[in-house]
């Protein structure tokens, strides 16, 4: 039997709009982002998709998107689990910098490598920024060892996949329909696994904000079909 997993990247955030590296910084949705998330919910309702479970990160742009999607598809009662493992990939010392200005300073190629290469790490957070991060309430109950100072897509995949295997996959295997509302790079990581994309080809995969991406999966949770609503 075909299993259905719907991924939604959060709607445009304030820092997507400002063209800043965001990562684990907890920025809000922009006005456009809220509209995108509402539209995503309406499309899911029109498509008649009925969720049994929803999963999101511990960052408000994804949490709010998840809530808007459930609200506007009239299924706000669906249980939602929040996990740091679905957080955006941590952008290290690039967080808060403007992407265009960073490209002017370091060159387009370097910035493209930082943004899209599978295994190149961006520069890590300063000690001061690390300390600040450790004191943030939403990260305080996480073991220090799992809080990154910078991540590439490979590390993002390695921390997102255990959650997929332990929490999402068992639900899909019971033929339950699952929503994952998360981030550009945490969703690229899951997509890499589900679609079997190579380390090279994953550089070209972009997931747009607020567009529901439907995966139909076989009994081994491999992709049979994917489409955007
Ligand atoms: O800034 C970020 O955290 C991400 C997602 O918006 O950006 P990028 O597309 O450069 O990986």
């Amino acid at each position: 039997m075909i299993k259905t997993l719907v991924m939604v990247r959060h709607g445009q955030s304030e820092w997507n709009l400002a063209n800043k590296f965001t990562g684990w910084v907890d920025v809000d949705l922009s006005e456009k982002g809220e509209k995108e998330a509402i539209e995503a919910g309406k499309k899911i309702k029109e498509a008649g998709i009925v969720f049994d479970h929803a999963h999101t990160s511990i960052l408000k742009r994804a949490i709010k998107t998840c809530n808007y999607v459930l609200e506007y598809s009239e299924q706000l009662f669906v249980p939602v689990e929040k996990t740091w493992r679905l957080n955006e990939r941590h952008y290290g010392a690039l967080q808060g910098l403007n992407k265009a200005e960073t490209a002017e300073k370091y060159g387009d190629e370097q910035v493209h490598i930082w943004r899209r290469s599978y295994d190149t790490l961006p520069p890590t957070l300063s000690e001061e920024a690390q300390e600040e991060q450790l004191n943030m309430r939403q990260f305080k109950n996480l073991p220090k060892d799992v809080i990154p100072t910078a991540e590439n897509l490979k590390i993002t995949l390695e921390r997102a996949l255990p959650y997929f295997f332990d929490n999402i996959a068992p639900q899909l295997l019971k033929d339950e329909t699952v929503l994952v509302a998360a981030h550009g790079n945490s969703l690229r990581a899951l997509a890499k696994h589900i679609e079997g994309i190579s380390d090279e080809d994953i550089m070209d995969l972009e997931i747009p904000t607020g567009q529901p991406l439907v995966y139909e999966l076989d009994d081994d949770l491999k992709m049979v079909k994917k489409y955007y609503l």
Side-chain angles (χ1 to χ4, degrees):
M1 177 159 168
I2 291 295
K3 290 103 176 48
T4 308
L5 169 66
V6 180
M7 292 185 188
V8 182
R9 179 180 173 198
H10 62 79
Q12 185 196 59
S13 73
E14 297 287 3
W15 280 15
N16 291 143
L17 180 61
N19 199 25
K20 285 183 179 180
F21 289 99
T22 315
W24 279 39
V25 180
D26 200 9
V27 301
D28 212 334
L29 292 175
S30 67
E31 217 173 287
K32 180 179 168 194
E34 285 184 3
K35 286 193 185 130
E36 286 175 337
I38 289 169
E39 273 314 302
K42 289 182 181 169
K43 283 183 188 162
I44 283 165
K45 185 179 172 215
E46 261 168 44
I49 297 175
V50 171
F51 295 118
D52 297 294
H53 295 278
H55 302 266
T56 189
S57 71
I58 54 170
L59 296 169
K60 69 177 113 175
R61 56 195 189 275
I63 297 168
K64 285 175 114 173
T65 298
C66 187
N67 286 347
Y68 276 128
V69 165
L70 293 177
E71 180 176 353
Y72 283 85
S73 59
E74 290 176 25
Q75 36 191 337
L76 208 40
F77 52 83
V78 167
V80 179
E81 233 177 296
K82 295 173 191 154
T83 172
W84 70 273
R85 289 184 184 274
L86 290 174
N87 274 9
E88 182 52 294
R89 140 284 181 66
H90 195 297
Y91 253 121
L94 298 180
Q95 291 185 167
L97 300 182
N98 179 282
K99 291 176 185 173
E101 286 168 15
T102 308
E104 269 169 38
K105 193 163 165 192
Y106 297 98
D108 286 337
E109 204 187 320
Q110 178 61 66
V111 168
H112 185 64
I113 290 170
W114 280 332
R115 292 183 65 194
R116 288 294 171 265
S117 89
Y118 182 55
D119 50 13
T120 306
L121 265 187
T124 53
L125 280 186
S126 66
E127 270 180 36
E128 198 188 344
Q130 279 181 45
E131 208 46 50
E132 218 174 279
Q133 179 172 261
L134 287 177
N135 286 325
M136 289 176 69
R137 217 190 121 210
Q138 79 226 81
F139 308 142
K140 267 201 147 157
N141 61 350
L142 299 178
K144 256 188 185 177
D145 291 345
V146 304
I147 302 183
T149 55
E151 292 180 308
N152 49 34
L153 191 65
K154 183 170 186 282
I155 297 174
T156 309
L157 183 141
E158 285 165 359
R159 54 98 161 149
L161 266 193
Y163 187 82
F164 178 79
F165 288 134
D166 289 349
N167 299 68
I168 299 173
Q171 295 170 346
L172 293 168
L173 290 171
K174 278 192 274 175
D175 296 326
E176 293 173 333
T177 298
V178 177
L179 167 67
V180 177
H183 304 263
N185 295 294
S186 54
L187 292 178
R188 288 173 69 236
L190 293 183
K192 182 178 190 302
H193 170 75
I194 291 167
E195 297 186 37
I197 302 173
S198 70
D199 297 359
E200 288 73 39
D201 290 350
I202 193 61
M203 286 189 87
D204 300 324
L205 180 76
E206 295 290 339
I207 298 179
T209 53
Q211 305 290 315
L213 171 56
V214 182
Y215 281 100
E216 294 184 359
L217 308 173
D218 65 16
D219 289 339
D220 296 321
L221 304 185
K222 294 295 169 214
M223 182 178 79
V224 174
K225 192 170 154 192
K226 87 168 191 183
Y227 54 93
Y228 282 98
L229 293 182

